[in-house]
Amino acid sequence: MAMSGESSGKNCGYSDGKSQRKVGLLYDEKMCKHDTPDGEDHPECPDRIRIIWETLQLAGVAQRCVVLGGSKAEDKQLQLVHTKDHVNLVKSISTKKKDIRRNKIASQLNSIYLNGGSSEAAYLAAGSVVELAEKVAEGELDCGFAIVRPPGHHAEADEAMGFCLFNNVAVAASYLLNERPDLGVKKILIVDWDVHHGNGTQKMFWKDPRVLFFSVHRHEYGSFYPAGDDGYYNMVGEGPGEGFNINVPWEQGRCGDPDYLAAWDHILIPVAKEFNPDIILLSAGFDAAIGDPLGGCRVTPYGYSIMLKKLMEFAQGKIVMALEGGYNLDSIAKSSLACVKVLLEDEPIQGSSKAYPFESTWRVIQAVRKRLCAYWPSLADELSWKLIDQKTPTPIIIVSSSSDSETEDDTHGIVDQMSKLNIEKQEGTLNENDQVDTASTSWRADLAKVDVWYASYGSNMWKPRFLCYIQGGQAEGMKKACVGSMDKSPPKGIMWETFPHRLFFGRESTATWGVGGAAFTNPLTNINDQTHMCIYRITLEQFNDVLFQENGLNVDSDFPLFDLAALQLVENKGSGSLEASNGWYNNVVCLGKELNIPILTMTCTLSTFEKFKSGEIPLRPPAKAYADTLVRGLVEGGRFSEEEAESYIDNAASKPL
Ligand code: X5A
Ligand code: ZN
């Protein structure tokens, strides 16, 4: 059993013989003072820590722990990872003098609110994790849980963000390493299982081999908060810290116990064995928990208990848990209780939800192992086929009228219901979709050999959003997820071009973006107009899957929508409509060639364009989230400033046809 011999002496009054471990439990009501300035609702609310504390007391486990009150961090400790300016800002933020400016300061930060209690709570949160970590490192306690807020892992050296003011766990890690050499802590493993990437912690130890940072989080190609590439698996650290930063970026929500445990068994645990930490700090957000309003994942209290149990085998069980996110009060209370029971070495609790990891989970795990095996030899072996064959199919058959595209309105209800049914069906049971569709595979093999450029002028100009059509998923702002292509390989090339066509917006609403028009381009050329397009080099098979999804059709089709004959025709004639579809984007237009490969886009038919022109079908400006995504695509494409992109979209949305 993982127990530190030197600390088995006194035991906090607990005497039923079940636990010999001294478990610290830190709570301080003063951390509830950090709240929204005018009492507005916010997911990161004071009740989060209250409910955890009350639940642990009601269950009788708090009484079996060594209970600690909070203590405030010293500026010197905070400055181990934060700049002086940042520390001073947080320190002064709650003073009377700042009363007026406080809201303005908060509004300039990313996902931050501030009030008169914020400074004290932030100092307490950081100081409390330091205090608990110190006691565990000294051996006065075996392990513990600091029920703190505000959370910390998004906070960067010079910036508060993502509900975080100070990076509590990073301060504690740096304190042990740099200020307490006497405690002999030379290697720290930080495990961050909050559903969001621990961007702040990653940066603070980026070049530091004494800290192995492991974060598992929703990433979805950079579209999940905190958006960007920082949480990708290719971010492994730098200089002496190279290989000591491990990201497991989920491609989709809905990950649950099997997905997390697979990441544990095939990445974290083997690496932890090799690294052999002296202590483990756990950024324990519970927003990957089932029921969380922000996370969209499904980890159960059982799942958390097993993940924690597996970590207890290291560092003689010296684990310091610090609360990060987690926004469903019931979920975080139950998850916390399950974890504290593990710290106390109670009998494991029972139960789990689904049987196997998602297909995409194995893909991510394999990619991580491959990227990191040079540093951690235990990751070098290929996972066996037998293992990765145990999977819950990623829901590729959902019929989803995602994107700008929509089928006619009256079919939406049915399509939505069908997709929901499919999701549930696939998750509970296996093998239902395993039979190989021979008709569907044969056309796919043929069309996979041909490349085309798909030219996008709508939200697909934003790469993470387009990738949803290839790899599946739901980018920021989208109300619905995409199933992706059967062939999930990324585009072979991306370029920007401007074409002499008219961009406009029409129809009432879309399922993916809400109320507002979708983008179309006049199928006919007009040299006085300009549509800026992002062109992606994909296979004709993938192009068909994009078409299916744009038109609200099932990708699991026996026939392509657009085969080689259709390509011939469109290349010769300039455009051709898809007879099999009555979706909005059932007209494929050839815009020319690039590298001798045809450039194809999809828009409405000429007759529909006439209806827009006559007013029979309404023109309508785009929904806000949709317009923002277009602007984002144009700006991130590197060719336009935000102002230019905005005025281009505004202009297209307001000019008559
Ligand atoms: C600590 C944490 C989440 C921030 C989400 C902002 N932060 N949209 O979970
Ligand atoms: Zn979080």
Side-chain angles (χ1 to χ4, degrees), residues 44 110-111 151-154 161-164 194-196 225 287 294 324-327:
E44 206 289 276
N110 171 349
S111 305
H153 72 154
H154 294 307
M161 63 178 275
F163 317 157
C164 303
D194 185 283
V195 77
H196 303 98
Y225 190 88
D287 42 12
L294 269 58
E324 298 279 0
Y327 308 101

Side-chain angles (χ1 to χ4, degrees), residues 473-501:
Q474 186 171 7
E476 198 174 296
M478 293 167 68
K479 296 197 191 318
K480 299 186 71 181
C482 298
V483 298
S485 170
M486 293 275 191
D487 173 2
K488 301 212 158 22
S489 30
K492 295 170 190 155
I494 302 179
M495 291 196 283
W496 285 82
E497 283 187 30
T498 300
F499 297 93
H501 288 254

Side-chain angles (χ1 to χ4, degrees), residues 283-353:
S283 268
F286 291 112
D287 42 12
I290 186 158
D292 190 276
L294 269 58
C297 288
R298 308 189 167 178
V299 179
T300 68
Y302 167 78
Y304 284 117
S305 74
I306 302 296
M307 291 197 279
L308 181 55
K309 185 93 205 150
K310 291 189 184 229
L311 291 175
M312 299 255 294
E313 301 301 319
F314 302 95
Q316 303 138 287
K318 289 177 192 273
I319 298 190
V320 178
M321 294 178 62
L323 183 66
E324 298 279 0
Y327 308 101
N328 177 316
L329 298 185
D330 193 50
S331 305
I332 65 177
K334 288 185 172 135
S335 304
S336 298
L337 177 59
C339 287
V340 176
K341 284 183 174 170
V342 170
L343 296 181
L344 285 163
E345 294 193 313
D346 280 4
E347 289 302 307
I349 58 164
Q350 285 300 308
S352 189
S353 48

Side-chain angles (χ1 to χ4, degrees), residues 246-524:
I246 304 182
N247 286 317
V248 180
W250 296 140
E251 291 179 3
Q252 56 169 84
R254 303 172 46 243
C255 288
D257 298 353
D259 306 285
Y260 278 79
L261 291 173
W264 253 234
D265 290 346
H266 303 291
I267 301 169
L268 177 56
I269 299 304
V271 171
K273 273 191 193 137
E274 290 191 57
F275 182 63
N276 189 24
D278 298 316
I279 191 170
I280 298 177
L281 305 187
L282 182 55
S283 268
F286 291 112
D287 42 12
I290 186 158
D292 190 276
L294 269 58
C297 288
R298 308 189 167 178
V299 179
T300 68
Y302 167 78
Y304 284 117
S305 74
I306 302 296
M307 291 197 279
L308 181 55
K309 185 93 205 150
K310 291 189 184 229
L311 291 175
M312 299 255 294
E313 301 301 319
F314 302 95
Q316 303 138 287
K318 289 177 192 273
I319 298 190
V320 178
M321 294 178 62
L323 183 66
E324 298 279 0
Y327 308 101
N328 177 316
L329 298 185
D330 193 50
S331 305
I332 65 177
K334 288 185 172 135
S335 304
S336 298
L337 177 59
C339 287
V340 176
K341 284 183 174 170
V342 170
L343 296 181
L344 285 163
E345 294 193 313
D346 280 4
E347 289 302 307
I349 58 164
Q350 285 300 308
S352 189
S353 48
K354 69 182 172 87
Y356 296 128
F358 286 118
E359 203 175 351
S360 67
T361 294
W362 288 125
R363 182 166 53 243
V364 170
I365 289 177
Q366 285 174 299
V368 174
R369 287 172 61 99
K370 198 162 166 210
R371 181 65 186 82
L372 282 142
C373 66
Y375 317 102
W376 308 101
S378 59
L379 303 182
D381 291 339
E382 291 260 357
L383 297 179
S384 80
W385 277 108
K386 242 182 158 158
L387 180 68
I388 60 178
D389 211 34
Q390 303 190 342
K391 59 183 187 244
T392 298
T394 305
I396 21 188
I397 358 183
I398 353 169
V399 188
S400 128
S401 42
S402 8
S403 134
D404 341 32
S405 68
E406 303 298 309
T407 42
E408 295 304 326
D409 284 350
D410 53 349
T411 64
H412 281 170
I414 301 162
V415 168
D416 283 356
Q417 279 170 20
M418 279 168 50
S419 42
K420 277 189 198 118
L421 283 176
N422 274 331
I423 292 175
E424 295 311 328
K425 198 172 66 191
Q426 294 198 4
E427 219 169 298
T429 51
L430 299 159
N431 303 325
E432 288 198 35
N433 310 298
D434 282 0
Q435 72 271 48
V436 177
D437 185 330
T438 46
S440 129
T441 37
S442 63
W443 72 259
R444 286 182 174 277
D446 287 345
L447 302 196
K449 294 182 198 127
V450 179
D451 279 0
V452 297
W453 293 100
Y454 158 59
S456 144
Y457 51 85
S459 60
N460 289 324
M461 288 187 293
W462 187 41
K463 189 176 160 204
R465 190 269 169 272
F466 173 66
L467 286 179
C468 294
Y469 272 155
I470 301 296
Q471 282 150 333
Q474 186 171 7
E476 198 174 296
M478 293 167 68
K479 296 197 191 318
K480 299 186 71 181
C482 298
V483 298
S485 170
M486 293 275 191
D487 173 2
K488 301 212 158 22
S489 30
K492 295 170 190 155
I494 302 179
M495 291 196 283
W496 285 82
E497 283 187 30
T498 300
F499 297 93
H501 288 254
R502 169 63 204 275
L503 175 69
F504 65 98
F505 296 88
R507 298 207 177 252
E508 304 284 356
S509 74
T510 66
T512 310
W513 306 98
V515 176
F520 295 92
T521 187
N522 184 346
L524 293 182

